[in-house]
Amino acid sequence: MDIKTLKSFIAVAKHKSFSQAARELNTVQPAISRHISALESELGVSLFNRNSRDVAITQAGEQLLKDANDILTLTEQAKTQVKRAQNGQVGTLNIAYLSSACLAFMATLISTYKSKFPHVHVTLFEMTVTEQIEALKNEQIDIAFSRLLPNSITDEFTSHNIYIDTLVAIVNQNHPLASKESFDLALLKNEQFILFNRDEALGLFDETITQCKQAGFSPNIISQPRHMQTLVTEVAAGLGVAIAPYCVRKLYSKGCHFIKLQNVTTQIPVQVQYKKNNSSATVNAFVEIALEAREEIQKSMKA
């Protein structure tokens, strides 16, 4: 029993005529007759009662007609779904992101994607850099918005820069340096430092220590929070000063001042990352939208 045979059967049942069925299907009557005979032989039943004047469907034929229509409907649905899957229009997409680095644009990005691909189920995961790396390696997420990957795994992934961030000082609004537009990092040598936890962002932590050493001091670290919002909150509470990417100002940061650091030119990329051997159309479609939005994202992160 194949689709072509079922179509012949449905056409005969519809027209109650082998000749009209042949005309509808752009074939010849003997071909239709062969299809019906083969179907009756395979099923071991008579599907039509035939006489010289008309063709009447049997009870067995009525049952097959119902099922045959369902089969053809499912077949067309399957064809449509396959084409949608090939074009990235159906499926699932798991995306991880750094809240501090992506909060300003992630909702708009997802909304744009969903407007074009409404049948793809998108799940968002707020993860630290360390969590994202593990999730990428274990294929728990499809796409990551994160910092630079460790050199040991960069060959496994494709990465595109979304925007480049810079390091800034974060001080309480009542701090003596709060009114300055910029200052030398050396002015903070006697301060208590709040630095983002090294286990969560190894590169960021080590770069901060390096910049402090180049400014002539080792920071007195009193806190290493695992969430950027906690870091900003601790500064707002007057517990110390911080060095962090400029993007953290997009968090709730009332009571904090973000100040440029003179002679610190460290670049901190935010990248979109995914498996290099990726063959998912949903991933490719989302990455394309993210790259198209790059210029707008870069403008928003400078504002």
Side-chain angles (χ1 to χ4, degrees):
M1 188 186 305
D2 58 31
I3 299 301
K4 190 173 184 180
T5 301
L6 288 178
K7 286 183 176 180
S8 293
F9 165 72
I10 291 171
V12 173
K14 173 183 174 182
H15 295 289
K16 296 182 174 59
S17 166
F18 281 69
S19 59
Q20 289 185 41
R23 281 195 291 273
E24 178 184 322
L25 298 176
N26 295 314
T27 186
V28 294
Q29 183 172 332
I32 298 294
S33 297
R34 286 196 300 273
H35 289 165
I36 301 304
S37 295
L39 198 52
E40 290 177 326
S41 177
E42 179 181 350
L43 298 174
V45 298
S46 294
L47 299 173
F48 298 103
N49 291 320
R50 310 165 179 80
N51 58 42
S52 58
R53 288 178 299 185
D54 59 13
V55 175
I57 193 168
T58 65
Q59 187 174 354
E62 289 283 5
Q63 179 59 50
L64 179 61
L65 181 61
K66 176 182 179 299
D67 293 336
N69 280 317
D70 290 343
I71 290 170
L72 290 188
T73 297
L74 288 172
T75 299
E76 291 306 312
Q77 289 177 353
K79 289 179 180 178
T80 299
Q81 290 295 87
V82 166
K83 289 177 181 177
R84 284 181 174 178
Q86 184 180 27
N87 296 328
Q89 296 175 314
V90 295
T92 61
L93 196 58
N94 296 322
I95 302 171
Y97 68 101
L98 296 171
S99 60
S100 58
C102 306
L103 200 61
F105 63 84
M106 186 55 63
T108 300
L109 199 57
I110 299 299
S111 178
T112 300
Y113 176 77
K114 285 292 288 183
S115 69
K116 296 182 179 180
F117 301 96
H119 301 295
V120 176
H121 180 73
V122 178
T123 304
L124 290 176
F125 300 90
E126 183 181 335
M127 292 182 175
T128 63
V129 172
T130 303
E131 290 170 339
Q132 289 193 36
I133 290 171
E134 284 303 308
L136 280 172
K137 290 194 293 187
N138 296 327
E139 298 186 354
Q140 295 170 327
I141 58 174
D142 303 302
I143 294 173
F145 282 83
S146 191
R147 303 298 184 191
L148 292 173
L149 292 170
N151 292 333
S152 59
I153 63 171
T154 51
D155 289 344
E156 302 174 36
F157 298 92
T158 298
S159 301
H160 301 283
N161 285 347
I162 297 299
Y163 71 92
I164 305 296
D165 211 343
T166 56
L167 284 178
V168 296
I170 311 175
V171 301
N172 180 274
Q173 61 185 356
N174 297 318
H175 192 281
L177 297 173
S179 61
K180 291 186 174 294
E181 291 187 4
S182 67
F183 57 72
D184 193 288
L185 181 55
L187 293 180
L188 298 178
K189 65 181 179 180
N190 296 320
E191 299 284 344
Q192 293 182 316
F193 273 79
I194 301 164
L195 297 186
F196 194 60
N197 193 279
R198 189 174 190 270
D199 291 338
E200 302 300 340
L202 176 64
L204 175 61
F205 185 94
D206 288 351
E207 177 61 22
T208 302
I209 298 299
T210 297
Q211 290 298 327
C212 289
K213 287 183 177 179
Q214 289 178 356
F217 69 98
S218 293
N220 175 22
I221 303 170
I222 62 156
S223 178
Q224 291 191 54
R226 292 182 176 271
H227 297 280
M228 280 294 185
Q229 183 61 70
T230 304
L231 178 145
V232 172
T233 302
E234 289 184 357
V235 174
L239 301 184
V241 301
I243 304 297
Y246 189 38
C247 65
V248 302
R249 75 196 186 283
K250 298 291 185 178
L251 300 173
Y252 183 77
S253 56
K254 183 179 179 180
C256 293
H257 283 219
F258 299 83
I259 304 171
K260 294 180 181 180
L261 290 168
Q262 297 168 4
N263 303 317
V264 175
T265 58
T266 304
Q267 294 190 332
I268 308 173
V270 173
Q271 298 183 325
V272 59
Q273 301 153 349
Y274 53 97
K275 280 274 190 179
K276 190 164 285 186
N277 60 2
N278 158 70
S279 59
S280 168
T282 54
V283 170
N284 293 332
F286 184 88
V287 170
E288 183 177 341
I289 288 173
L291 295 182
E292 287 175 354
R294 217 168 13 181
E295 185 175 346
E296 195 62 34
I297 290 171
Q298 290 167 2
K299 288 179 182 178
S300 73
M301 296 311 295
K302 290 178 181 178

